[in-house]
Amino acid sequence: MTAASGRALYALLLWGAHAQIPAFSFAGVSLGSNFQDIAARYPHSSPQSEYVSLAPEDVHDHISAIEVSGSGPTRRVRITFETRGAGGQAEYPRCATIEAQLSGRFGRPHAVRRFMEEASPRADRLWRSATEELTLLCFAERGQLWAEAVQITPR
């Protein structure tokens, strides 16, 4: 095997491995999702431009809203988890619950970013592929970590 053919084989193997990495998604929503198709899944909700806030009867997987914005390198998908309880209080799923779902599909997070935002400590989980980044946005309150949203962006 010549050096050139060896490099070509190596590049082909890398391309094949890259092609088999699944795109990041949550509840069937990914960077490649079409917003009109997403909105059609929620018949009781009213989409507005690139954002759909889910009606209570459409809420599943803790999702309360979905935003698909931008295109190309500025495209972003944000899946929000804030719902309202019986008393009107904001409710969120536990960060560990959503992290377990994501880890089951994509493995353990590559990193955890810890920082203070306003008065609330954060510990966001990050997954990375060659082309995308998935972030589970988590905040601390009442001694627990709560999941605010999942965000998927190009790298």
Side-chain angles (χ1 to χ4, degrees):
M1 178 182 294
T2 67
S5 63
R7 285 191 299 274
L9 178 60
Y10 179 72
L12 184 60
L13 289 172
L14 279 180
W15 177 83
H18 173 72
Q20 292 184 16
I21 295 171
F24 290 127
S25 66
F26 187 83
V29 179
S30 70
L31 274 180
S33 295
N34 177 291
F35 181 73
Q36 287 74 23
D37 295 340
I38 293 168
R41 295 185 208 168
Y42 305 101
H44 303 98
S45 304
S46 300
Q48 297 176 351
S49 184
E50 301 170 330
Y51 182 84
V52 62
S53 180
L54 275 55
E57 53 270 34
D58 285 341
V59 171
H60 65 81
D61 296 315
H62 308 287
I63 298 170
S64 62
I66 300 171
E67 176 186 11
V68 179
S69 61
S71 62
T74 65
R75 186 160 176 90
R76 178 182 86 154
V77 170
R78 184 178 174 94
I79 302 164
T80 307
F81 300 124
E82 180 181 319
T83 58
R84 295 290 167 181
Q89 293 250 179
E91 294 181 351
Y92 301 87
R94 290 180 187 247
C95 185
T97 301
I98 305 300
E99 182 178 355
Q101 290 177 328
L102 293 169
S103 293
R105 292 195 63 211
F106 307 116
R108 295 178 50 105
H110 293 101
V112 176
R113 283 191 214 149
R114 299 181 197 285
F115 55 96
M116 291 291 291
E117 185 175 280
E118 297 173 15
S120 180
R122 300 194 58 86
D124 298 347
R125 279 84 171 116
L126 279 78
W127 287 261
R128 293 184 181 112
S129 74
T131 59
E132 297 178 358
E133 183 170 280
L134 180 145
T135 306
L136 171 58
L137 304 163
C138 297
F139 67 96
E141 186 178 274
R142 302 182 307 267
Q144 293 289 327
L145 270 178
W146 304 98
E148 176 185 334
V150 166
Q151 187 166 287
I152 306 169
T153 56
R155 282 190 77 184

